[in-house]
Amino acid sequence: MKANCSSPGETGETGSPHPPGPQSPLHQRHLDLGSGLGRSSSWTCCSSTSQIMEKSPLQTIGEEQTQNPYTELLVLKAHHDIVRFLVQLDDYRFASAGDDGIVVVWNAQTGEKLLELNGHTQKITAIITFPSLESCEEKNQLILTASADRRVIVWDSDTGRQVQRISCFQSTVKCLTVLQRLDVWLSGGNDLCVWNRKLDLLCKTSHLSDTGISALVEIPKNCVVAAVGKELIIFRLVAPTEGSLEWDILEIKHLLDHQDNILSLINVNDLSFVTGSHIGELIIWDALDWTMQAYERNFWDPSPQLDTQQEIKLCQKSNDISIHHFTCDEENVFAAVGRGLYVYNLHMKRVIACQKTAHDSSVLHIAKLPNRQLISCSEDGSVRIWELREKQQLAAEPVPTGFFNMWGFGRVNKQASQPVKKQQENATSCSLELIGDLIGHSSSVEMFLYFEDHGLVTCSADHLIILWKNGERESGLRSLRLFQKLEENGDLYLAV
């Protein structure tokens, strides 16, 4: 089957916010980016500032954003509906997908549109890459996309060719994951299916629930964790052996500790994974014996008066405490809770920093950057860069005390933890400082990708993709290209 591929060079508008603060003046300048874009491009500041929600004064950064490197932006246009997904293909390419059912492959350096993949008839619900094995003769990387049309399509990322279309699903596939060590991939909907690289169905479960699997992660011992509504199901994959030539998948355990639907699920490391629910329950699990290490669901400020506290809980909107996304590094787990950001240190087993109003609306995606930096995006259309800074043992920004009940292994005795709780309330050892506010999208920013060399990519409900560039680096590259062009033409020697 053929994919519909576009010709190169179909980029959108470009811009350069100066600075990208909420009240930046509009301006325009023209720059020749050379042969990368195939034409001279116009770099302009996006005029969507007035459409963005007014930022809370506490969290608004000034006009001078000296620590924000992203002072140029390139607006990419190819989609005609909400762009929900971005996936990195290699060091210079990424793919985008969303509610229009198409997949677009881009050059992250130039913003050039490389391929447009058409095959789905409804919105795309999941996208992943399936890298080739080192031992495999074919080095092509595959792109797997699932859609509300109850199909999964496998694409060749280099040519855009449809490798195969799988249409045997009884429900929408909501998530995809690759188990690289076993060289298989899994699809999750109302059942769980295991597939090999040749796209043969190896085994599957029976119907799990009408809710379906919303998230999947791999854990040790050939197991995976599936989030199904309020519960987690541990599955074990059984590979063929001398005694059995067929694959099998076994339900090992059901974890029923969440009281509401699970929205986020990630691996922390080989020893633990973490889940977050719609009503703000955060649980850290042991990845080997699947027991609960820590539990928390208090993300609002406690009050000394019982009646007042009950009133706060009744008025609390679930979206204000919903845990939409996690990310982590070797030291910390970063949680997007409602409009806020929380940093939990794995070694100290406690929250070390938080910003309860990091954005004006729910935070949808977060990621760790180098140099102790964090980036977040929100339904309010903003993208913000934060720096995790050490601070003295001073009175810290209030942190919900419920957090300090949880960190530690096993269930905690609430009465015994009260003195410790009071000490830790004033002992947050770090702060999250806002160092950059990227204003460009006019609607909800769904997610982003970070390229160390090529900048930051964001996608939005405004149908646009923005490629944010390091202005200083891009200026240096333009100067280098100009120098090389003069040298090639001999103009350099004439100028000297």
Side-chain angles (χ1 to χ4, degrees), residues 150 169-172 189-193 204-213 228 231 233 235 251 254:
R150 298 187 179 184
F169 300 99
Q170 301 301 313
S171 64
T172 298
N190 287 354
D191 47 27
L192 180 63
C193 301
K204 62 180 292 186
T205 65
S206 57
H207 182 87
L208 295 172
S209 76
D210 293 332
T211 305
I213 299 173
V228 184
E231 68 176 323
I233 305 178
F235 293 98
E251 285 190 30
H254 288 240

Side-chain angles (χ1 to χ4, degrees), residues 128-301:
I128 58 169
T129 62
F130 197 172
S132 60
L133 293 175
E134 293 293 332
S135 58
C136 185
E137 293 183 3
E138 296 183 5
K139 297 299 181 182
N140 60 322
Q141 180 173 229
L142 302 177
I143 301 174
L144 280 63
T145 56
S147 168
D149 60 13
R150 298 187 179 184
R151 295 172 180 169
V152 169
I153 299 180
V154 183
W155 314 84
D156 185 311
S157 67
D158 294 329
T159 65
R161 178 180 64 90
Q162 283 192 32
V163 177
Q164 188 164 335
R165 182 196 302 251
I166 305 172
S167 306
C168 60
F169 300 99
Q170 301 301 313
S171 64
T172 298
V173 173
K174 298 180 179 179
C175 56
L176 300 166
T177 192
V178 170
L179 306 187
Q180 193 73 21
R181 189 176 60 83
L182 296 175
D183 197 31
V184 299
W185 59 277
L186 283 65
S187 61
N190 287 354
D191 47 27
L192 180 63
C193 301
V194 182
W195 309 81
N196 64 12
R197 186 175 292 274
K198 296 179 180 179
L199 310 178
D200 300 320
L201 177 59
L202 303 177
C203 56
K204 62 180 292 186
T205 65
S206 57
H207 182 87
L208 295 172
S209 76
D210 293 332
T211 305
I213 299 173
S214 59
L216 281 167
V217 296
E218 182 180 8
I219 58 175
K221 302 177 181 178
N222 289 353
C223 292
V224 293
V225 185
V228 184
K230 302 177 184 180
E231 68 176 323
L232 295 170
I233 305 178
I234 309 294
F235 293 98
R236 175 171 287 128
L237 273 65
V238 181
T241 61
E242 293 182 0
S244 173
L245 299 179
E246 296 185 354
W247 286 77
D248 198 4
I249 184 166
L250 308 174
E251 285 190 30
I252 303 299
K253 192 170 184 178
H254 288 240
L255 307 177
L256 307 173
D257 296 86
H258 278 290
Q259 298 178 34
D260 204 344
N261 288 341
I262 298 168
L263 302 181
S264 47
L265 165 65
I266 65 160
N267 274 324
V268 176
N269 48 44
D270 290 338
L271 300 176
S272 56
F273 62 93
V274 60
T275 54
S277 79
H278 181 66
I279 58 171
E281 302 165 297
L282 185 150
I283 301 179
I284 293 184
W285 305 87
D286 189 297
L288 299 176
D289 62 13
W290 317 311
T291 57
M292 186 190 302
Q293 294 181 347
Y295 174 90
E296 168 61 27
R297 63 161 297 176
N298 261 336
F299 289 98
W300 49 80
D301 287 332

